Amino acid sequence: MSDFPTTARVVIIGGGAVGVSTLYHLAKAGWSDCVLLEKNELTAGSTWHAAGNCPNFSSSWAIMNMQRYSLEMYRTLAEDVDYPMNYHVTGALRLGHTKERMQEFERVASMGRYQGLQLDMLSPEQLKEYYPFLETHDLAGGLWDPLDGDIDPAQLTQATAKGARDLGAKIQRFCPATGVTQNDDDTWIVHTDKGDIACDYVVNCGGYYAARIGEWFKPYGGRDVPMVVMSHQYFLTEEIPEIEAWTKENGKKLPMIRDVDSSYYLRQDKNGLNLGPYERNCKAHWVTSDDPMPEDFSFQLYPDDLERLEWYIEDAMARVPVLGTAGVGRNINGPIPYAPDGLPLMGPMPGVKNAFEAHSFTFGIVQAGGAGKVMAEWITTGETEWDMWAVDARRYTAHCDFEFCRDKALETYGHEYAMHFPHHQWPAARNKKLSPNHDRMIADGAQMGAFNGWERACWFAQDGDDTSEAGTETWDRQGSWTAAVKREVEAVSTGTGVIDMAGFSRFTLSGDGAAEWLRSMVAGALPKIGRMNLVYFADSRGRVVTEMSCIRHGEDDFTFMTAAVAQWHDYELLWRNLPAGLTLNDVSADYTTMLVTGPTSRDLLAGVSDADLSAGWLSLQQAKIAGQDAMFARVSFVGELGWEVHVPTAHAAQVYTVLRAAGATPFGMFALDSMRIEKGYRTWKGDLSTDYTMLEAGLGRFVKLTKEQDFPGKAALVQEQKQGSNKAFATLIIDAPDADAPYMSTIWHDGAVVGETTSGAYGYRVNASIALAMLRPDLAAPGTELEVNIFGKMCKAVVQEDQPLWDPENARLRA
């Protein structure tokens, strides 16, 4: 036992591909005093039975970054650490059955090319050239990634383990962690059967055991880990002579096939085939009392259940007939962890200081390399190179109970290859958080969407409108919602509209010195007492961490409001840095907000409230509405005369009923988005992210570099101001007849990519397709002509003046 480590900088719990990669990257970053604990042998969990497929493809910019990094790393890893590996770069085909699928391929291919990948669109005839055994008569085309392939998961893990050990990190196999204790200074003791390890940081890389490990952290602020274990099956055929002959003749393996519309992958394995479906009639394990989670499931599998795959097997045999000529050689049915959206849970552990997590990887082999890099950055610096909100564990909050996680995991697994259309709402695990006005809105025709579990109206249907799920399954501008959004925008711009914004995140901060502490946290100035403004938090590079509305009630008395989905992220930004003596509370559930806005909103509110409606822009006041206490804030995210009316949740229904009776027209989130883009207002984790600095994002007016207090990113922003920014924010009007620009559409000039869109929508008040964009600075001048790739179509775009498209003088807003 003399070599057992009793201290470490970081202890990682879990020896799968992700945990070992995290250890390897920490050691590469110079943190070699780190220990990994594995209860059995490395790879004993999901890693050992993983198929090992390695795609670049993802419709998420963050996930594509992570997977691209992994594949780059794997291509040289054997040489880098001197460990032989089986890594086959075969290339892969994705098959498209429909126009909508081909549009998705076009979008992802454009994103990939921006990241330096060569993703090619193919015709059915070209697909046949790559894969001669393929039936293509009913296909619209496909996508080719020459760098796709497969890797041996065990060898990958052992290679990164060797690399970590060579750099001084330690791995303790057959050494299960049994619990944790947090010290008063927020450091940790990790308990094992072999002894205790004192450390600064703990990382939960427990794979499908991550929820059980998460229980240890609940006494220190942790929560139920939002994940479910799914059963994933794939089977290997016996050898197929035709494939053996083709391989010998061509000296390589067949490329992988993913028939994403049918929902399976098919790849060559030796001289046979490996078929892995994601079936709709899928199954979760260890979720019922008669199927308890075992203490140890190392190197074990579930019983075969091939009947679930029958349709997929038949479909694959019709697509590649040689599949049907061979018998099943071996079936693999093993556990894979699923977060509700199928993306991993990574980053700071919600509610717990000095603890991190990296688990619930459904594609852990291809993501392990990038995950290790990202986790090492998060742990050593608190910041990541790429914005990683897509996988941030804080994206799921308290509404994620067991039923939510199970139902969403089943839905996500069964639609693993589904297209995520911008106006489509997935139906599983809904109605977790309801506004007091929910039933009234439903009666008014509201088509709802979930925002951090809160149900909000996206649009309001009238008699005859298509309210089917299928009506929203399109990338095009014209859909079931289009006429309604146009109606709602017109109602707001000519009369008065009301939107129930249930679920705003809301925190109170108070205590002597609160204002001075905030001045050292935010990039700009605080509002005066009785006023409100926007405040921005930056990281050490000057990049945008978040935006909050700051309401100042007294010298050291504040309320912060932020996006519903940002609740845990933004609360923790304050909480993790909070000085002793200050009090921070999350009061999100206690209050709700209604935006009452439009040119007649003053007259309407005058009839139902006693507020002083002559008070100016950004003013605050306490008043009565419908006989209830409320705070009136003179702001409007749609760019019309208006007020946010903040009321206790208990009184929301009375206030909403009175507003509707007075003539306010209900409008939804889709109309709100259209109108905010016409004003150039940014949204969090779209236009505002850590991919951009404050100055790049056009937020210079919210940065006060001359203030005496230091704040995160100040030095970097001072340097950027001197040297110039790498990107510049701009608003584009696009000649886009069919569809508006989605997030990360590439922008072109003279045959080169020069930027990307961060959000896009049709502006019904200005009658144009609009995109907010980040450009090469020399091209951000008004009148510059560019092109935007929208689902494969190059559409002319023109840079607009640096002002709102709608009401550029803000006369309506300040009326």
Side-chain angles (χ1 to χ4, degrees), residues 740-801:
D740 301 309
Y743 174 68
M744 284 294 168
S745 297
T746 49
I747 303 171
W748 293 73
H749 181 71
D750 286 345
V753 176
V754 295
E756 67 271 6
T757 63
T758 54
S759 57
Y762 196 82
Y764 291 95
R765 294 178 296 191
V766 300
N767 292 316
S769 181
I770 308 165
L772 306 185
M774 300 299 296
L775 290 174
R776 206 174 72 197
D778 60 302
L779 298 174
T784 304
E785 293 190 2
L786 306 164
E787 289 184 299
V788 179
N789 185 327
I790 302 178
F791 302 116
K793 292 185 177 180
M794 299 299 286
C795 301
K796 179 184 174 182
V798 178
V799 177
Q800 302 301 299
E801 296 285 345

Side-chain angles (χ1 to χ4, degrees), residues 405-544:
C405 295
R406 178 198 61 203
D407 294 350
K408 289 302 290 184
L410 289 166
E411 179 182 64
T412 300
Y413 182 101
H415 298 83
E416 184 59 65
Y417 293 131
M419 291 174 279
H420 294 272
F421 298 108
H423 292 90
H424 174 250
Q425 295 290 327
W426 291 96
R430 296 295 295 275
N431 296 330
K432 301 303 291 185
K433 300 177 186 176
L434 301 182
S435 161
N437 301 307
H438 182 80
D439 290 343
R440 168 66 189 267
M441 290 188 289
I442 294 293
D444 286 340
Q447 305 303 299
M448 308 299 286
F451 300 80
N452 191 29
W454 285 97
E455 295 289 326
R456 289 181 182 171
C458 292
W459 57 284
F460 288 84
Q462 295 182 356
D463 290 345
D465 286 344
D466 177 10
T467 58
S468 68
E469 190 175 352
T472 65
E473 293 175 332
T474 178
W475 303 109
D476 292 347
R477 181 180 304 121
Q478 293 299 319
S480 56
W481 67 88
T482 310
V485 172
K486 186 175 182 180
R487 285 194 302 264
E488 292 166 25
V489 170
E490 183 177 1
V492 171
S493 59
T494 60
T496 300
V498 59
I499 183 170
D500 183 326
M501 296 289 286
F504 263 135
S505 302
R506 199 179 308 246
F507 322 124
T508 61
L509 174 71
S510 60
D512 291 344
E516 188 59 25
W517 174 67
L518 284 172
R519 292 186 186 99
S520 72
M521 288 289 292
V522 304
L526 300 178
K528 295 178 180 178
I529 295 172
R531 302 278 291 176
M532 68 182 298
N533 66 6
L534 290 175
V535 293
Y536 290 85
F537 296 76
D539 66 13
S540 68
R541 304 161 298 182
R543 298 189 180 193
V544 184

